[in-house]
Amino acid sequence: MSVCETPSQLAQSPGLPKSPEGDPVFPEPWAAEAFAMTVHLHEKGLFAWSEWAEVLSRELHKPGRAEDGSDYFDCWVAALSEVLVSRGVADASAILDLQKSWQRAAEATPHGKPIELANDPQR
């Protein structure tokens, strides 16, 4: 098995939705991108697997989370944001501002068109 075929420890994250073959399943492209970004940052040594598992697990078990797991990747992004802020890689307010900008861009984008940050009317 080559290095590329070796599954990442992150693919074994608690509660990660999987196909019958055991591959991660993503509900939207952004979820796959968040997963890939997390894998890349882990592989570059930004955080240890044990740290990631702890932060993600804590996020998944917060009160008010969906019992059916439908907000799994929302938890994933929240956990990734927490790790990035705790490591000094990103600023919490910058992350929040960017999230709001993407939301405005999504709301301003006509159905069927790609959502781009340039569509944010406040940018």
Side-chain angles (χ1 to χ4, degrees):
M1 182 176 280
S2 75
V3 173
C4 293
E5 294 170 333
T6 304
S8 166
Q9 290 177 313
L10 291 176
Q12 305 306 316
S13 293
L16 180 66
K18 294 187 178 183
S19 71
E21 294 78 29
D23 298 321
V25 175
F26 305 102
E28 301 286 339
W30 66 263
E33 291 173 2
F35 180 87
M37 187 182 323
T38 306
V39 169
H40 177 76
L41 293 171
H42 167 65
E43 289 173 349
K44 291 295 183 187
L46 184 65
F47 52 86
W49 162 246
S50 58
E51 179 187 3
W52 172 254
E54 181 181 320
V55 174
L56 179 59
S57 180
R58 192 169 51 243
E59 193 63 43
L60 289 168
H61 292 96
K62 281 186 176 177
R65 289 299 186 187
E67 296 210 8
D68 65 357
S70 59
D71 64 350
Y72 182 82
F73 284 104
D74 293 326
C75 295
W76 187 283
V77 170
L80 179 57
S81 296
E82 181 179 327
V83 168
L84 293 175
V85 169
S86 73
R87 295 284 188 198
V89 174
D91 177 74
S93 63
I95 291 173
L96 182 59
D97 289 346
L98 195 54
Q99 287 173 330
K100 289 177 181 178
S101 185
W102 275 110
Q103 184 61 43
R104 287 189 302 267
E107 292 167 359
T109 301
H111 180 73
K113 299 290 183 186
I115 299 170
E116 299 173 354
L117 257 152
N119 296 347
D120 176 1
Q122 293 185 24
R123 276 196 163 241

